[in-house]
Amino acid sequence: MPLQNYLEQNKERFLNELLELLRIPSISADTKYSADVNRAAEFVKQQLLNAGVDKAEICPTKGYPVVYAEKIIDATLPTVLVYGHYDVQPADPLELWNSPPFEPVVKDGNIYARGACDDKGQMYMHVKAFEMLVKNNVLPCNVKFMIEGEEEIGSVNLEPFAVANKEKIKADVILISDTSMIANDVPSITTGLRGLTYLEVEVTGPNRDLHSGVYGGAVANPINILCDMISSLHDKDRRVNIPGFYDGVEEVSKQERDMMASAPFSLEEYKAHLDINEVLGEKNYSTLERVSIRPTLDVNGIWGGYIGQGAKTVLPSKAFAKISMRLVPNQSSEKIMKLFEEHFNKIAPAYVKVKVMPHHGGEAAVTPTDSIAYKAASKAMEKTFGKTPIPLRTGGSIPIVTMFERVLGIKSVLFGFGLDSDAIHSPNEKYGLFNYYKGIETLPYFYQYFAEMSEK
Ligand code: BES
Ligand code: MN
Ligand code: MN
């Protein structure tokens, strides 16, 4: 295929362009970086134009803009809508990085930088795969791009954008590379994502910080109480102890569970990789099941009292925690928020006051494996990896997948090329050169097969 030659000849440029994008600290969560987030949008728009789209535009929203671009070759042909995000997570804790997060380095076959995998590297594969198809005159269908800048902060302005631009972004399928595969020699395609409910709690005891000797033992310490309350949120089988939490949760079929059990996965390697002696999770479920088909509750952060240098004897007035719950199909993020709020207020003892403050959320998603688009993706991976990819649900969340289905009636294919070990959201995030180039090589086949199969 001439595309293979084109890829070989342009490898270095493809990499350098990505490195340039990675140098822009487009952290959506921190307003200090707002100029950089906008600069990343401009960069993506310009690269799409260079790659050969008919038009590209920066579409303003109430938050960061959506970069929209399209190449329509024939209105009667199918249309693929590529979704990705140009924003990244904050890079802290900075001291744990081996090289600065926004000064990408290529080392031992990996690109190290914040956003290398999530999602700049994966999103940019699409820009380059598209370029290859256009410059070689083999683009077989219409392509639209919708690259947003608020994924890492909950995509709150994307639904209004989708509603207002239904006609413009109309497509037959949404193609997203923002997930991972099992291993470089074990390709897989994500068929399900978890939903999310994220909130913050505040527990107040006495009206001011107290001397822990003078008052300790007689007045409830809100940090102690918060810890009691949090530990009561799991039972002895590590099930979430909130009434109604599991209502409607589907029991995944034996067939799907058997398939998960047969997926290549080594618990020993998993533990070694994380440097833990044992795993912990809901009774009667395997590790792979616990992180994909089962809902969970986790404390993401907890603070209060004195955390400065040395010791200060204090009985604090307040304690705080950030808590998230990962959800599965048939759980509603809004309903779970209500259940949590009710329960947390109910278990609060008389000697403290509690407040629950909701953050963002999103619904779980399941994507079909019998669609033309899934089959095209599977066949494309088979072609370039030499193996049929395994369909597998995963534990992360991309709330817009369900939103697109609800608002636009379009299903997605989660065609990710990352690895769980890419350390997304963590220090030393990376993306393999193998994965970057393999993605660029594989995506054109998706278009080819999708267009061919759509004809029939
Ligand atoms: N790309 C991730 C989601 C992901 C990662 C899915 C790995 C599957 C495997 C996405 O950018 C992300 O981080 N999502 C957030 C949710 C969002 C509402 C902030 C998440 O899952 O925590
Ligand atoms: Mn992402
Ligand atoms: Mn992310």
Side-chain angles (χ1 to χ4, degrees):
M1 210 166 162
L3 294 193
Q4 204 53 42
N5 288 332
Y6 190 91
L7 176 54
E8 280 309 317
Q9 279 155 19
N10 292 280
K11 260 187 154 165
E12 218 176 285
R13 176 172 60 84
F14 284 6
L15 175 61
N16 288 331
E17 288 173 9
L18 171 59
L19 298 184
E20 207 177 318
L21 176 58
L22 290 170
R23 282 188 198 103
I24 308 175
S26 49
I27 304 170
S28 51
D30 189 341
T31 50
K32 228 180 29 243
Y33 295 93
S34 65
D36 296 302
V37 184
N38 285 304
R39 200 151 56 84
E42 282 294 339
F43 181 90
V44 172
K45 175 191 159 187
Q46 194 49 52
Q47 292 306 325
L48 282 163
L49 285 169
N50 296 350
V53 296
D54 302 330
K55 66 164 186 184
E57 48 198 36
I58 302 266
C59 308
T61 71
K62 279 189 181 154
Y64 291 116
V66 175
V67 181
Y68 175 80
E70 62 179 35
K71 186 168 185 70
I72 309 295
I73 53 170
D74 179 346
T76 64
L77 288 173
T79 302
V80 175
L81 175 62
V82 174
Y83 164 86
H85 61 96
Y86 62 81
D87 66 320
V88 300
Q89 285 273 325
D92 9 359
L94 286 177
E95 65 278 12
L96 296 185
W97 284 77
N98 296 327
S99 54
F102 296 104
E103 292 171 30
V105 291
V106 180
K107 211 177 109 192
D108 307 326
N110 291 309
I111 308 160
Y112 288 89
R114 169 57 84 234
C117 172
D118 185 11
D119 180 40
K120 286 173 173 171
Q122 297 219 61
M123 177 268 289
Y124 207 70
M125 298 179 323
H126 284 270
V127 182
K128 294 299 99 178
F130 172 79
E131 175 191 321
M132 296 213 296
L133 288 163
V134 173
K135 305 286 162 167
N136 289 280
N137 281 313
V138 288
L139 183 68
C141 59
N142 305 312
V143 185
K144 296 176 175 178
F145 290 89
M146 174 173 49
I147 314 297
E148 73 152 317
E150 299 190 304
E151 198 278 340
E152 299 293 8
I153 50 172
S155 304
V156 281
N157 294 298
L158 200 62
E159 180 161 348
F161 175 84
V163 170
N165 293 281
K166 271 188 189 168
E167 231 2 80
K168 180 158 146 171
I169 60 179
K170 206 168 148 208
D172 297 284
V173 67
I174 298 175
L175 187 60
I176 306 176
S177 296
D178 195 19
T179 50
S180 46
M181 4 173 246
I182 297 178
N184 283 351
D185 56 352
V186 190
S188 60
I189 296 178
T190 300
T191 54
L193 294 159
R194 288 195 284 192
L196 182 69
T197 294
Y198 201 111
L199 53 89
E200 210 167 304
V201 297
E202 182 189 290
V203 176
T204 307
N207 60 4
R208 60 196 163 87
D209 285 6
L210 304 174
H211 188 288
S212 65
V214 176
Y215 290 94
V219 177
N221 178 327
I223 301 182
N224 294 10
I225 301 301
L226 177 57
C227 291
D228 290 349
M229 291 173 77
I230 286 171
S231 62
S232 79
L233 295 176
H234 284 98
D235 69 12
K236 62 172 192 340
D237 295 331
R238 296 309 290 181
R239 282 170 65 88
V240 177
N241 212 0
I242 298 175
F245 186 79
Y246 291 94
D247 283 3
V249 164
E250 65 161 346
E251 278 301 325
V252 170
S253 71
K254 175 155 189 325
Q255 191 199 354
E256 189 168 346
R257 289 187 73 179
D258 285 349
M259 179 133 91
M260 293 184 87
S262 68
F265 172 79
S266 156
L267 189 57
E268 287 316 308
E269 273 174 36
Y270 186 84
K271 290 192 287 191
H273 196 82
L274 299 174
D275 205 2
I276 53 175
N277 297 324
E278 276 309 330
V279 290
L280 175 68
E282 187 180 355
K283 198 175 164 186
N284 297 330
Y285 291 94
S286 71
T287 291
L288 273 187
E289 290 173 339
R290 288 167 178 172
V291 297
S292 61
I293 59 168
R294 299 303 295 167
T296 57
L297 181 149
D298 274 291
V299 178
N300 297 253
I302 182 164
W303 69 102
Y306 183 69
I307 50 169
Q309 217 180 65
K312 177 190 178 196
T313 50
V314 60
L315 193 164
S317 167
K318 284 181 189 291
F320 304 85
K322 288 183 195 281
I323 296 174
S324 70
M325 286 159 278
R326 293 281 170 175
L327 312 177
V328 297
N330 299 337
Q331 282 180 306
S332 137
S333 159
E334 212 182 301
K335 186 169 160 230
I336 292 293
M337 182 74 79
K338 284 211 184 78
L339 289 179
F340 180 94
E341 212 169 342
E342 271 170 36
H343 181 68
F344 206 72
N345 279 301
K346 206 173 119 212
I347 62 173
Y351 26 83
V352 294
K353 298 181 195 75
V354 302
K355 251 201 257 176
V356 177
M357 294 155 283
H359 281 273
H360 54 264
E363 309 305 330
V366 182
T367 59
T369 52
D370 58 358
S371 66
I372 290 174
Y374 181 88
K375 287 177 189 155
S378 180
K379 205 171 151 191
M381 269 193 156
E382 203 176 304
K383 175 84 183 170
T384 56
F385 286 80
K387 281 181 192 170
T388 308
I390 300 169
L392 205 62
R393 297 201 209 184
T394 187
S397 306
I398 309 181
I400 49 86
V401 172
T402 314
M403 188 274 283
F404 288 145
E405 202 174 326
R406 181 166 42 81
V407 172
L408 305 169
I410 315 175
K411 305 237 186 223
S412 298
V413 171
L414 298 163
F415 208 17
F417 293 83
L419 296 175
D420 284 345
S421 54
D422 283 339
I424 64 172
H425 296 202
S426 303
N428 304 310
E429 176 176 352
K430 67 172 169 67
Y431 195 42
L433 290 173
F434 169 86
N435 306 71
Y436 183 55
Y437 291 126
K438 202 62 162 178
I440 298 173
E441 181 192 343
T442 307
L443 291 171
Y445 288 108
F446 169 84
Y447 287 100
Q448 187 195 322
Y449 298 143
F450 182 65
E452 279 172 18
M453 292 188 217
S454 298
E455 265 173 31
K456 289 167 200 154

